[in-house]
Amino acid sequence: MYTVRRFVVRHSRFFEWVYGWFEPILAFLDPLWSRLGYNQIERPVAFAERHIKGFLFDCQMCGQCVLSSTGMSCPMNCPKNLRNGPCGGVRENGNCEVKPLMKCVWVDAWDGASRMRGGDKIAIVQPPVDRSLEGSSSWLRVARERAEEKRASRDAARQAMADAFSEAREEEPAAAPLAQEPPNAQPMQEADESTTIMTVEKN
Amino acid sequence: MAQDSLFDPIDPLKVHTKPPEGHSSNSRLERVLRQGRFAVTSELNPPDSANPEDVYDAARPLSEVVDSINATDASGANCHMSSLGICSLLTRVGYSPVLQISCRDRNRIAIQGDVLGAASVGVANILCLTGDGVGVGDQPGAKPVFDFDSISLLRTLRTMRDDSMFLSGRKITQPPRIFIGAAENPCIPPYEVRAERLKKKVEAGAQFIQTNYIYDVPRFERFMARVRDLGLDDKVFILAGVGPLASARAAKWMRANVPGIHVPDHVIERLEGAEKQGEEGKRICIELIQQMREIKGVSGVHVMAYRREELVSEIIQESGVLEGRHAALRGRRARKLET
């Protein structure tokens, strides 16, 4: 809804703060999502996301959300779907060239960004949208990507260990393992996961 | 035809000769800009015909006064001969064109293919544009594409050129040697972010900028001051867009109906007060060129006049920006032709 999404832009700092909590929780729960099966939960989560973000931001479910870098103004509401800033056709009153009654999405974006702590992220060059991801959950995508980053840095650390003790690894591979470990081989992580769920429930 | 033009003929089979040291293309425009000379470009308004002579007729008056000719890509969302078609006609006779790519009509598959095609026929300059909405054009029922925006398009072209690959990661065996440009519209809201947006374009890969029409010099100067504060004047060549207004009525119509054109009231009043409005429009344009030349960070002008190429030629000659250069280049050309 136009009024709501413009309200959100005026309060972009608050929504930035909310998402600042929300994203780490999403990412932290990756083991849970994995166990439930990303494929199993994709539809219900996308359904919830569509309605929550649809109400707040007029979300178009591009599946590649960049709201934190666009002042909480969804760029997919731009009739030209511009992801990197306003075009050269903005009207004198700051309204859209194509829809004269609508405030330019990017005029709003810069306005919203000016209120946010991470507002300077608006300067980052965004890639073109992958249209094949349209309709899918961006929340779950973020959870997977953050988990993947963590996995990659953990793998890099194990690789460094294996390289430093290469002879030992050759003779006793379990001394410096590299292969992915199944969840049940990592009892500490299991514990982590259950405590997370508990804290979330408390919240 | 190209004989007494400003252009160096490009041998179509030698478009991939290595560019000069520090250059990313064999573009004449890039050479002129890097030599620190005041560059002059203009645009050719595409014919509504399949006759190559129509293109050459329009190019001839421009060829004698400009460093590069922009071939517009369905500007204003109106259908005309394609930019790529015009560019290949122009390179055939040795003219140096700027291929314009608008994101409105083609997706990433078409655009990346066109870039290779253009580079293969000797096009060395490409201007990346978002494009006007389809609604203002002659076929408002068309499907707007906007797969890229101008900035992701810039980064794509730079990736193709510098990393020799498509956006998919697939290898390009002979990368396009191109000088990459973008547009900017300094006199249109949101004013305060126009310079930041320019910075984004430069980071995405823009090497030269051609601006939209500028009639409000103080506003443009404020923009340029910000550009200099951001240190962009050292990283990108800015060509200020100017053009003659035919009459006060035409100016008012443009202001109301063409997206992204700002004509201040005092300019319209000056036109209204003139006896011959057309002459006055031309004089304003000449004055603008001379003013642009004095602004620090402006490397050239881009002169636009819809379907009035002869007038562009007169304006550029009378403005004096070619001082001394024309004859010198002509001499060089003549010597080349004699040998």
Side-chain angles (χ1 to χ4, degrees):
Chain A
M1 218 162 61
Y2 185 59
T3 333
V4 178
R5 90 178 193 226
R6 301 226 44 217
F7 172 88
V8 169
V9 168
R10 284 198 301 278
H11 298 85
S12 55
R13 175 72 193 98
F14 171 74
F15 286 91
E16 182 187 30
W17 177 83
V18 171
Y19 190 68
W21 281 99
F22 185 61
E23 190 191 284
I25 293 173
L26 272 179
F28 203 65
L29 289 180
D30 168 69
L32 174 65
W33 308 139
S34 294
R35 178 168 294 187
L36 293 171
Y38 273 102
N39 198 33
Q40 298 299 312
I41 57 174
E42 171 65 35
R43 286 217 181 140
V45 174
F47 179 85
E49 186 173 341
R50 181 188 301 274
H51 286 85
I52 296 170
K53 281 164 70 178
F55 173 70
L56 291 172
F57 311 105
D58 276 349
C59 166
Q60 307 289 316
M61 289 300 281
C62 67
Q64 299 181 278
C65 194
V66 289
L67 277 168
S68 300
S69 300
T70 60
M72 295 290 157
S73 171
C74 171
M76 300 316 276
N77 287 311
C78 164
K80 300 183 184 176
N81 288 175
L82 302 184
R83 302 274 285 190
N84 277 299
C87 70
V90 183
R91 288 166 194 266
E92 285 295 316
N93 58 3
N95 280 11
C96 172
E97 165 198 325
V98 181
K99 297 181 177 172
L101 296 177
M102 182 179 88
K103 180 65 84 186
C104 166
V105 164
W106 280 98
V107 168
D108 270 350
W110 244 280
D111 180 39
S114 69
R115 291 174 229 274
M116 287 163 59
R117 289 229 175 117
D120 49 0
K121 282 195 282 184
I122 203 165
I124 297 169
V125 175
Q126 297 293 342
V129 186
D130 182 341
R131 303 280 168 177
S132 64
L133 302 180
E134 228 164 285
S136 61
S137 166
S138 186
W139 286 344
L140 292 179
R141 185 158 292 111
V142 168
R144 284 194 298 269
E145 290 302 316
R146 291 289 185 221
E148 184 56 41
E149 272 168 31
K150 243 190 255 170
R151 222 170 353 249
S153 72
R154 204 163 47 224
D155 286 352
R158 295 170 96 205
Q159 185 68 53
M161 174 77 90
D163 289 347
F165 296 90
S166 54
E167 299 122 321
R169 181 177 149 74
E170 208 163 292
E171 295 306 323
E172 300 286 358
L178 283 177
Q180 282 299 333
E181 305 291 346
N184 284 341
Q186 296 166 294
M188 283 311 284
Q189 276 211 345
E190 279 284 82
D192 268 349
E193 189 185 303
S194 51
T195 39
T196 323
I197 295 166
M198 276 164 63
T199 39
V200 172
E201 277 168 357
K202 259 184 234 160
N203 282 348
Chain B
M1 178 172 313
Q3 287 182 2
D4 50 359
S5 76
L6 275 173
F7 297 110
D8 297 331
I10 301 168
D11 182 342
L13 295 177
K14 287 188 181 163
V15 291
H16 293 307
T17 48
K18 208 171 176 315
E21 188 61 33
H23 290 220
S24 54
S25 73
N26 291 306
S27 152
R28 177 191 161 79
L29 180 62
E30 180 173 11
R31 218 158 54 229
V32 167
L33 287 167
R34 292 204 192 276
Q35 284 166 1
R37 291 188 286 169
F38 196 75
V40 182
T41 59
S42 182
E43 65 183 28
L44 183 148
N45 298 289
D48 294 336
S49 85
N51 185 352
E53 278 309 317
D54 291 342
V55 172
Y56 293 132
D57 285 345
R60 211 166 283 126
L62 297 178
S63 71
E64 294 172 4
V65 289
V66 303
D67 295 305
S68 236
I69 301 175
N70 284 52
T72 59
D73 182 14
S75 68
N78 290 303
C79 193
H80 304 290
M81 187 192 282
S82 75
S83 182
L84 184 51
I86 294 169
C87 284
S88 53
L89 286 172
L90 293 181
T91 54
R92 229 182 249 189
V93 295
Y95 291 163
S96 155
V98 178
L99 177 80
Q100 297 197 177
I101 299 178
S102 137
C103 299
R104 177 194 53 236
D105 305 320
R106 268 161 301 158
N107 68 9
R108 63 191 81 178
I109 300 172
I111 289 177
Q112 292 174 81
D114 277 353
V115 168
L116 292 188
S120 77
V121 296
V123 175
N125 311 294
I126 300 186
L127 185 76
C128 301
L129 302 165
T130 301
D132 299 312
V134 292
V136 296
D138 64 342
Q139 301 182 46
K143 179 175 187 194
V145 178
F146 296 111
D147 192 16
F148 284 127
D149 56 41
S150 57
I151 295 178
S152 49
L153 174 59
L154 284 165
R155 183 56 68 78
T156 303
L157 297 200
R158 194 178 79 182
T159 305
M160 289 175 73
R161 182 192 67 196
D162 295 351
D163 304 333
S164 302
M165 61 178 196
F166 293 108
L167 218 46
S168 64
R170 205 147 48 78
K171 191 141 179 51
I172 297 171
T173 49
Q174 170 70 68
R177 302 212 197 274
I178 43 175
F179 189 43
I180 304 173
E184 188 47 78
N185 205 350
C187 300
I188 292 298
Y191 312 115
E192 47 311 331
V193 312
R194 287 290 164 194
E196 325 289 324
R197 181 170 172 263
L198 182 72
K199 184 169 178 229
K200 213 166 162 175
K201 289 195 167 182
V202 173
E203 271 166 21
Q207 298 170 291
F208 72 95
I209 299 291
Q210 291 174 317
T211 78
N212 212 316
Y213 286 105
I214 294 162
Y215 292 105
D216 193 338
V217 179
R219 198 176 272 177
F220 180 62
E221 277 180 337
R222 281 198 293 278
F223 165 81
M224 285 305 299
R226 183 83 188 109
V227 165
R228 292 192 297 268
D229 286 346
L230 292 170
L232 297 175
D233 53 331
D234 296 331
K235 293 184 188 151
V236 68
F237 299 103
I238 297 174
L239 282 73
V242 294
L245 292 162
S247 66
R249 211 169 60 103
K252 279 183 191 160
W253 183 87
M254 265 178 35
R255 184 161 73 168
N257 294 296
V258 185
I261 296 185
H262 165 71
V263 188
D265 291 334
H266 69 86
V267 173
I268 291 180
E269 281 159 22
R270 187 173 156 188
L271 282 169
E272 276 169 345
E275 218 162 272
K276 285 185 179 165
Q277 297 200 351
E279 280 297 307
E280 192 65 15
K282 183 177 156 189
R283 205 163 315 131
I284 292 173
C285 184
I286 292 172
E287 286 170 22
L288 281 171
I289 293 178
Q290 286 158 350
Q291 283 170 303
M292 294 305 165
R293 206 181 180 182
E294 301 304 316
I295 299 174
K296 192 171 174 290
V298 175
S299 308
V301 282
H302 179 54
V303 189
M304 297 165 276
Y306 188 68
R307 300 228 157 125
R308 289 182 297 166
E309 285 85 4
E310 298 284 347
L311 183 62
V312 170
S313 167
E314 282 171 33
I315 287 171
I316 293 168
Q317 278 168 355
E318 286 172 36
S319 73
V321 286
L322 291 178
E323 246 167 55
R325 229 176 84 195
H326 195 189
L329 279 157
R330 223 180 215 167
R332 205 179 59 160
R333 150 91 43 217
R335 278 201 301 281
K336 215 180 213 172
L337 286 171
E338 278 161 21
T339 51

